[in-house]
Structures are given as structure tokens and as C-alpha cells.
Amino acid sequence: MTPPIETIYRHESRRVLATLIRLLGDFDLAEEALHEAFLVAMQRWEHDGVPSNPRAWLVSTGRFKAIDRLRRQARFTPLLQAQADALAAADWDDEDVEDDRLRLIFTCCHPALAADAQVPLTLREICDLTTEEIARAFLVPPATIAQRIVRAKGKIREAKIPYQVPSLAELPERLDSVLRVIYLVFNEGYSASMGADLTRDDLTREAIRLGRLLLELLPEPEVMGLLALMLLHESRRPARTSAGGELVLLDEQDRALWDASLIAEGCALVEQALTTRRFGPYGLQAAIAAVHAEAPSAEHTDWPQIVGLYDVLLRAVPSPVIELNRAVALAMRDGPLAGLQQVEAILARGELLDYHLAYSARGEFCRQLGRLDEARLAYEKALSLTRQTPEKHFLERRLASLTPI
């Protein structure tokens, strides 16, 4: 591709694809049409120049290429002729492209689709990641990801899932699914579930891009909250690892490395979301992240406010993971014994028994209390459960720092 076409592809291809999917009603046909449209563009624009509205040109060209393809195939499958004729007769509005992207996001995250297919389908169709890239992100074979995507597309086609934004009555349930998928993408990038690297900045960038898009198209408080939460977490990413790639805990991070522009944007979104008084779990988590972001150091963090926000969050979304996070904040406010008691209560209920961070927190509290034998056992348990190399190295350093029993 020539540089102008490369730029247009980077900025417009997903928008064009979203419209083609709506017009053609088929993911695979739309993807083929998109590629054919760009091939034609490479041949024509070099001589004719880039059209004034390249997006509309590409949609129109892709649409006619799809119609031609269906008519050629109609010689073997006569029913395709009727489909081609219907597409040729239909009109489309080139000013409706932004809504098409929103429609596609909601389609990829439709509750009728399997949960383990929603994220790969979103990454493939919205983010333009390859099957191999998605497979690497989630450490599963590419064939598994490909099968999930194929099944999801088949479900959309067979169930005739509409390409549309849900009605106001359906929106809360459907929006939750979209936000969950975007947050899962971000979390996998921010703290990879396994592998040699702590973070995947390509995934965090894609999740934030999706969050910005969703906020642009649907400015709801929880969308603001999710985008704010991602921005505030992302602001700390440069300080989360050392020059050698080792994990650096929050209270040990060089806050001068935090991205002030992302913090300012995230805090403004938090304030905007909270003033609506219609905030939810993402807004509350973002508010917690904002308190961290605005503190000059761990010691000067408003820990009572953070504990209070966790109390509200737990009432809204009871969760042992949130309870664990609250225990860490409680330890900063009231001391390690208070945190340890909370973690032990969680484990005693039989929750988080396979969650390495629960044992890592228990080990940290025991270390601070001088209960080194218990700390060693907890760190060893956490080490046996984690699958991420930087976290393994961190836990190994913690174990090495303990006085031998």
C-alpha cells in the first residue's frame, strides 16, 4: 500500500467493515469485500487521486464487489442471485457509519454468543488483530481461537442476531456485556495471565481505543467510569516494571513516571461520572484509582477514603477479589494484622483458594508482622499458582529476603 492508503486503512478500515457487515449481513463476505475494495483503491487512487470521501468510496466499492461475487457464485447456488439482487436494490446512508461501529460492538458481545467467543470476536472484528495475535494474548492455540470465532459468526448468522444498538429497555443488560469484554481485554494487557511479560501494551491500547469509541457513541456514566479506570491504570504502566522487566509494587513505584495527561483525563471522567449519581462498579473502581493517582506517595494516600469506596463497591458487587483488594487498603489504614485477618477469613470460607494474589497478600502481611515461617509458606503457595514470569521473580525475591527458618 502507498502511504496515503496505509493511513486510510489504519483509520477507516474497521469503520468500513462495520458498515459492510450491516449491509451484507455476513462477516466473511464483508471482510472479503473490504480487502477487494482496498485492492481496487491501490490501483485507481494512484492515478485518479484519493476521493473526497474515501470511506464512502470504499463502502460503495466493497458493496458492489460483494454483489459481483454473489452473482458469480449464483451459477452454482441459485439462491444467491436473490441475495445479490436485494443488495443491489438496497440504499445505504454514508452518514451512519459511527452507529455501525457501535452496532458491531454490541453484535460481537451479544449475550447469545458464548462468553469465551465474545472477546476473540471483538478483537478480530473491532480491533483488527489476527487470529495468531489473539491466540498469543490468551495463550491458546490459534486453531482454538479460530474455532470460537467461526462458531460465533455462525451463531450470529443462524440466530439472525440483528446488527443494532439495543433498545432502551435492553440497554443495561447489553451494555454490561460490552463493558465486561472491553475490561477483560484491558486486564489481559495490563496484567497478562501468564508469560514472560507483565503487560501487553497493544491490548491496553486497543481496549482504551474501544472505550473512547464507546464513550463517543454512548456517553453513559459507566462507560465514563470504565474509560477512566483504564486510563488511570494505564498511567502507571511505565512505573510497574523495572528497567530489567521486574515487577514493582504500587507503593514502591516512581510516581514521576506516571503519565500526568492520562491521570488528568481519567480524573475528569471520574468526576463527570460521579456527578450523574448513576455510577456503578466501574465508576467506583475508577474513583479508587483516582485517589491513588492524586496521592504524592503511598504514605500520603487517603486510605480511609479508599476503604470507604471499597465498602460501597462491595455492597454493589459482592466479590472475594474486591474483598481482597479492600483488605490491602485496610492494612494500609489499620496495619497488617487487620489485612491478614480479612484475607484469612476469605480463605477460611473456601474462596480464592487457587488465586495466587490472595496468598501473596497473606505472605506480605505475615512478613510485615515478623511471622516469617507463615510468610514463607504463603509465598511458596503463591509461587506455585502464578503463571507469569515477572510475578514468579518477585515472589522468589520475597522468599530470598526472609530469614531462614
Side-chain angles (χ1 to χ4, degrees):
M1 290 187 186
T2 61
I5 296 181
E6 287 180 357
T7 301
I8 290 170
Y9 183 88
R10 187 166 57 252
H11 292 293
E12 302 289 353
S13 63
R14 295 299 99 184
R15 299 181 181 186
V16 173
L17 178 65
T19 299
L20 287 172
I21 289 173
R22 173 173 61 86
L23 296 175
L24 304 176
D26 184 279
F27 277 86
D28 295 332
L29 183 59
E31 289 177 355
E32 292 168 355
L34 173 71
H35 294 145
E36 288 192 71
F38 270 98
L39 285 174
V40 175
M42 290 173 62
Q43 298 165 1
R44 295 188 184 176
W45 291 2
E46 184 176 354
H47 304 288
D48 302 341
V50 178
S52 58
N53 188 340
R55 185 193 307 169
W57 189 98
L58 288 163
V59 171
S60 180
T61 301
R63 175 170 168 262
F64 284 117
K65 285 292 182 181
I67 292 169
D68 289 343
R69 177 183 291 269
L70 289 173
R71 284 175 172 163
R72 290 195 301 272
Q73 294 174 345
R75 291 178 296 175
F76 309 101
T77 310
L79 288 176
L80 293 179
Q81 184 63 50
Q83 183 181 353
D85 292 342
L87 290 174
D91 293 325
W92 70 279
D93 184 355
D94 65 350
E95 296 183 356
D96 204 24
V97 175
E98 298 301 333
D99 286 342
D100 280 333
R101 287 192 292 169
L102 185 57
R103 291 185 186 100
L104 184 54
I105 290 173
F106 276 101
T107 300
C108 290
C109 300
H110 195 281
L113 302 181
D116 64 0
Q118 292 178 9
V119 175
L121 186 62
T122 301
L123 288 172
R124 180 71 194 92
E125 304 303 331
I126 304 295
C127 303
D128 197 25
L129 297 186
T130 65
T131 302
E132 289 73 21
E133 288 172 327
I134 300 168
R136 284 199 301 271
F138 295 99
L139 300 170
V140 298
T144 300
I145 293 294
Q147 288 170 0
R148 292 175 184 174
I149 292 173
V150 168
R151 284 197 296 267
K153 290 178 178 179
K155 179 69 173 182
I156 291 169
R157 182 172 56 251
E158 293 162 9
K160 294 182 170 54
I161 294 174
Y163 299 92
Q164 64 185 27
V165 177
S167 66
L168 288 176
E170 300 172 316
L171 190 57
E173 175 192 2
R174 297 287 301 281
L175 180 59
D176 285 349
S177 180
V178 171
L179 295 176
R180 179 183 61 82
V181 167
I182 294 175
Y183 194 37
L184 284 172
V185 172
F186 179 83
N187 277 341
E188 183 61 29
Y190 186 72
S191 184
S193 56
M194 61 176 65
D197 297 321
L198 179 68
T199 63
R200 281 283 309 274
D201 62 341
D202 54 336
L203 291 183
T204 57
R205 283 199 307 268
E206 288 294 346
I208 289 172
R209 187 176 71 84
L210 282 178
R212 292 189 191 282
L213 169 62
L214 194 58
L215 180 62
E216 177 187 344
L217 302 176
L218 197 67
E220 289 289 316
E222 274 294 78
V223 182
M224 298 175 197
L226 175 58
L227 179 56
L229 178 60
M230 294 190 296
L231 291 171
L232 291 166
H233 282 325
E234 182 69 5
S235 73
R236 302 199 299 260
R237 187 169 58 82
R240 293 184 65 231
T241 53
S242 66
E246 300 296 337
L247 174 64
V248 181
L249 296 183
L250 176 63
D251 59 352
E252 300 172 352
Q253 290 175 12
D254 179 358
R255 300 190 178 210
L257 298 176
W258 290 5
D259 190 318
S261 63
L262 292 181
I263 290 173
E265 184 182 359
C267 288
L269 283 168
V270 170
E271 184 175 352
Q272 187 178 357
L274 295 183
T275 55
T276 67
R277 299 194 176 278
R278 293 190 293 116
F279 54 86
Y282 294 113
L284 289 167
Q285 291 178 78
I288 293 169
V291 177
H292 283 297
E294 293 174 332
S297 66
E299 295 76 16
H300 292 90
T301 301
D302 190 343
W303 293 108
Q305 183 180 6
I306 289 179
V307 172
L309 286 167
Y310 271 124
D311 288 339
V312 177
L313 181 60
L314 272 172
R315 287 196 293 271
V317 188
S319 160
V321 173
I322 294 173
E323 193 175 347
L324 175 65
N325 292 335
R326 180 188 178 277
V328 174
L330 189 67
M332 295 298 294
R333 189 190 74 178
D334 299 340
L337 182 58
L340 178 60
Q341 290 171 341
Q342 293 296 311
V343 172
E344 290 184 335
I346 296 169
L347 295 172
R349 297 198 306 264
E351 296 178 309
L352 303 185
L353 295 179
D354 295 323
Y355 190 49
H356 70 282
L357 292 180
Y359 296 99
S360 181
R362 188 180 192 282
E364 185 65 17
F365 297 147
C366 288
R367 184 184 70 85
Q368 293 175 16
L369 291 166
R371 294 158 58 168
L372 301 186
D373 53 343
E374 294 176 72
R376 182 180 299 278
L377 291 173
Y379 282 138
E380 288 175 345
K381 180 65 174 180
L383 185 59
S384 72
L385 292 172
T386 187
R387 296 179 293 171
Q388 187 192 86
T389 301
E391 288 183 338
K392 285 180 179 292
H393 290 168
F394 170 81
L395 292 166
E396 288 166 353
R397 292 198 306 273
R398 277 290 195 258
L399 279 167
S401 72
L402 298 177
T403 302
I405 300 174

